[in-house]
Amino acid sequence: MVPFAGYAMPLQYRTGILAEHRHTRESAGLFDVSHMGQVRLSAKPGASMESVARALERLVAADIVSLGPGRQRYTQFTNGTGGILDDLMVTSLGDHLWLVVNAARKHDDVERLNVLIGEECDIEFLETRALLALQGPSAVAAFARLVPESESLSFMRAALWSHEGETIMVSRSGYTGEDGVEVSVSSRGVESLARRLLARDGVEAAGLGARDSLRLEAGLCLHGHDIDTTTTPVEAGLAWSIQKRRRLEGGFPGADVIISQLRDGPPRRRVGLVPQGKAPVREGAAIRSSSGALLGAVTSGAFGPTAQGPIAMGYVASEVAATGTVVEIERRSSWIEAEIRPLPFVPHRYHRS
């Protein structure tokens, strides 16, 4: 158990990080991610859900107005310089929006929502909701043994169902690059649900260590590391999350900076890195050219069990961000060669209809 964002979290279980990682890639890993923040936005009496969506659009870069019931979208809260205050998932459930935000930022996010759009929306911080993530190629089949309707979902779709007298919110999404579901359930019902899932053949518990190595192989950003208030969505390779209308209309914090970078290119880019040797490079390690010019820094680094070697992500100047470029990374007071590689390191296996 380790401290994480104010919680005691499992780094690993009995079998260890490597086994948990591989089991998730091969079958199904169950992650307790109840530390994440969950928020419900709904319309005030006499108002419409479109007004709620437009209010949220003043804070995020994605198109929320066009998000139909049962659909989910990834986006970011941005600041005035285009930096990322937090990244989040937004789900439309018809008569309300359901937000999932990062643990370390959730209280700031809720305060921001209340201050900036609280007069236009009803904002409910769902502090008594827990969250489980069941991930891997066998995950949906295992969950469907308990909730058969869930098998009908495709990637980034969601629904509310009743299970054992509980209202659960299920989305076909996750943070591993694998197929799977994330399930919001009340704190009083989460233990029963977790134990029922762990009783299924092929389902094993997994902790923070495997969650981190899985998301790194999948090329997914971790807020506070790969993205923060100094990085824009364009620099981070997240321009795909900004839909056409928002690029044309703007209207979100830092839109002038972000739209300019979409048009002219950013000064730096997030890239995948494969260092030489067997030892991983770590966050904060400097990246330089073969001539010694400083190019940027590593933001995440670890051994990738499925990639079968050390992998990393970091930022380098745009002019040297091309795949195949050889750079040098500082490791233990020496410099080693690394090659810039495309992300993800391991192909995504999402279930798209």
Side-chain angles (χ1 to χ4, degrees):
M1 301 293 286
V2 295
F4 185 84
Y7 295 83
M9 297 288 292
L11 179 65
Q12 63 184 57
Y13 292 88
R14 178 180 54 81
T15 58
I17 295 171
L18 186 62
E20 292 167 19
H21 176 111
R22 288 175 172 161
H23 186 83
T24 303
R25 288 271 186 250
E26 295 166 3
S27 187
L30 181 66
F31 301 83
D32 182 354
V33 289
S34 301
H35 58 304
M36 303 289 281
Q38 301 181 65
V39 184
R40 179 160 46 211
L41 303 186
S42 52
K44 288 186 176 295
S48 67
M49 279 305 300
E50 181 177 344
S51 69
V52 174
R54 291 198 180 279
L56 183 59
E57 281 190 352
R58 298 208 308 271
L59 307 183
V60 303
D63 180 348
I64 307 300
V65 170
S66 69
L67 191 62
R71 293 180 177 268
Q72 188 175 61
R73 187 158 281 168
Y74 169 79
T75 189
Q76 310 84 32
F77 288 122
T78 52
N79 62 20
T81 58
I84 300 171
L85 295 168
D86 198 7
D87 62 337
L88 65 152
M89 301 294 281
V90 181
T91 304
S92 171
L93 292 166
D95 62 351
H96 64 276
L97 298 176
W98 196 298
L99 280 53
V100 177
V101 301
N102 282 296
R105 291 289 309 170
K106 61 185 179 183
H107 296 289
D108 295 301
D109 291 343
V110 171
E111 181 180 6
R112 183 174 176 81
L113 288 164
N114 277 308
V115 169
L116 297 179
I117 64 173
E119 292 186 359
E120 301 162 70
C121 312
D122 284 331
I123 300 167
E124 185 182 0
F125 186 16
L126 303 173
E127 295 185 83
T128 61
R129 301 293 294 186
L131 192 66
L132 297 176
L134 186 62
Q135 300 284 292
S138 302
V140 172
F143 188 74
R145 296 291 296 272
L146 305 183
V147 184
E149 305 95 323
S150 61
E151 210 158 17
S152 66
L153 294 175
S154 57
F155 182 56
M156 298 295 275
R157 299 292 181 95
L160 293 172
W161 283 300
S162 178
H163 175 67
E164 293 190 320
E166 295 274 349
T167 297
I168 59 174
M169 197 281 277
V170 182
S171 65
R172 197 157 187 173
S173 59
Y175 194 48
T176 61
E178 297 291 336
D179 189 16
V181 293
E182 293 195 341
V183 185
S184 173
V185 59
S186 74
S187 55
R188 66 179 177 273
V190 66
E191 181 179 346
S192 172
L193 178 58
R195 291 190 182 280
R196 293 191 69 189
L197 290 170
L198 289 169
R200 309 306 315 173
D201 288 342
V203 177
E204 298 287 346
L208 283 180
R211 184 169 163 84
D212 193 54
S213 58
L214 289 159
R215 70 92 193 167
L216 177 55
E217 285 187 339
L220 302 176
C221 294
L222 177 61
H223 189 269
H225 300 263
D226 309 296
I227 51 176
D228 59 26
T229 56
T230 69
T231 56
T232 71
V234 185
E235 293 173 328
L238 303 174
W240 55 266
S241 67
I242 307 173
Q243 287 71 38
K244 183 177 179 180
R245 179 176 65 82
R246 303 311 311 279
R247 298 181 184 213
L248 293 173
E249 296 178 3
F252 52 90
D256 54 341
V257 175
I258 291 170
I259 292 171
S260 173
Q261 290 186 356
L262 286 167
R263 181 183 64 244
D264 303 326
R268 58 178 181 161
R269 294 184 184 275
R270 179 172 62 96
V271 296
L273 298 157
V274 175
Q276 284 189 346
K278 296 182 179 180
V281 295
R282 299 302 183 187
E283 179 181 352
I287 305 171
R288 72 181 188 184
S289 68
S290 55
S291 63
L294 187 64
L295 301 175
V298 172
T299 53
S300 289
F303 177 81
T306 310
Q308 299 183 336
I311 54 174
M313 295 192 296
Y315 286 83
V316 298
S318 290
E319 58 267 25
V320 296
T323 296
T325 301
V326 176
V327 297
E328 295 181 348
I329 300 178
E330 189 174 18
R331 185 173 68 190
R332 298 174 185 168
S333 301
S334 62
W335 293 86
I336 61 164
E337 284 192 347
E339 184 178 325
I340 293 178
R341 297 279 183 87
L343 295 169
F345 297 104
V346 174
H348 294 163
R349 297 196 289 184
Y350 304 132
H351 177 76
R352 302 180 189 273
S353 60

